[in-house]
Amino acid sequence: MIKVIALDLVGVLLGENDTYLTKNEDKIERLFGKSKSDEELVNDAVGLTSLSKYEVIKSIKEIIFKIYDVKVDVSKIKDKHNNVKIFIASNHFSSIKEFLNEKYGDVFDDVIISSCINAYKPDKKFYDTLIKRSGVKPSEILFLDDRIENVEAARKCKIKSEQVKDYNVLEIIDEYMCDKNERDNL
């Protein structure tokens, strides 16, 4: 039985807008996904842009709000499957938490962000952290990600995992959450 649903962000819950970024914003945004920690991102961005650390941090927050768009309404999961916990499990920076709070409220039971735990998917340490913080067996976690290498790494840790395509999150969850008789009749 699934007790925890762990969701990646970009490509799973969030899409990227095609929006104008200034030259400095573009340089900073290109660092997303290449740095393991907030400090590393900020330092790299300072070196590329000549902005101060404060200006870079401010810019990162502005970029996040500019480029991301909510594609999946997580409250529908909570409404339909209120007996499961919903986690975020994403390679990102701590600044994304402000975006999540504004766009989703307090719907998530835990938010695991790579820069906060110093572990990056598909590293085993990331999934070990997810398992530990979930407080359940790996087989009781459903992990959804758009990158197959992350899905396969989760499976190696005995976590049920599926690849998301075209934001089909709700369909995948419904398939996993229906009882065996319902699943046989799909």
Side-chain angles (χ1 to χ4, degrees):
M1 176 192 331
I2 300 298
K3 295 182 180 177
V4 173
I5 299 169
L7 305 163
D8 181 40
L9 287 173
V10 181
V12 176
L13 296 182
L14 307 177
E16 289 191 33
N17 294 317
D18 187 19
T19 188
Y20 172 77
L21 296 176
T22 67
K23 285 182 183 181
N24 281 336
E25 287 173 334
D26 186 58
K27 289 177 184 178
I28 294 169
E29 193 271 336
R30 290 177 188 272
L31 293 172
F32 285 15
K34 294 181 180 165
S35 305
K36 288 190 179 181
S37 70
D38 288 349
E39 183 179 358
E40 188 178 314
L41 171 67
V42 170
N43 289 337
D44 289 349
V46 165
L48 281 176
T49 63
S50 299
L51 295 173
S52 70
K53 285 186 177 186
Y54 171 80
E55 291 169 318
V56 166
I57 292 167
K58 183 179 176 210
S59 189
I60 290 169
K61 292 176 185 179
E62 290 170 358
I63 293 166
I64 287 170
F65 277 88
K66 270 186 179 182
I67 66 171
Y68 294 135
D69 183 34
V70 172
K71 296 290 188 183
V72 177
D73 182 357
V74 176
S75 67
K76 289 181 181 180
I77 302 167
K78 276 287 197 194
D79 291 344
K80 197 168 186 180
H81 309 289
N82 60 4
N83 59 333
V84 299
K85 293 181 179 179
I86 300 177
F87 282 35
I88 291 298
S90 186
N91 289 340
H92 219 295
F93 304 99
S94 63
S95 300
I96 194 70
K97 290 180 179 182
E98 290 177 41
F99 179 89
L100 293 174
N101 286 335
E102 182 175 311
K103 300 296 182 178
Y104 286 105
D106 63 352
V107 67
F108 302 111
D109 295 286
D110 199 353
V111 177
I112 300 171
I113 302 295
S114 59
S115 70
C116 298
I117 63 168
N118 201 26
Y120 203 76
K121 294 180 294 183
D123 293 343
K124 184 179 183 305
K125 181 181 173 187
F126 187 95
Y127 302 101
D128 289 343
T129 301
L130 171 59
I131 294 164
K132 182 177 180 182
R133 286 177 47 177
S134 75
V136 300
K137 298 175 195 168
S139 62
E140 296 173 324
I141 300 170
L142 173 60
F143 172 70
L144 303 181
D145 199 297
D146 62 317
R147 295 181 178 264
I148 193 65
E149 62 269 21
N150 296 339
V151 169
E152 290 170 352
R155 288 177 181 160
K156 287 179 183 174
C157 295
K158 309 295 185 220
I159 296 170
K160 289 181 170 72
S161 187
E162 292 293 330
Q163 184 178 19
V164 172
K165 297 178 181 174
D166 298 321
Y167 306 99
N168 63 336
V169 173
L170 300 175
E171 294 87 358
I172 293 170
I173 291 170
D174 283 347
E175 187 174 318
Y176 267 86
M177 298 304 288
C178 67
D179 67 37
K180 185 178 180 345
N181 291 333
E182 287 179 33
R183 190 174 295 135
D184 291 342
N185 293 325
L186 288 177

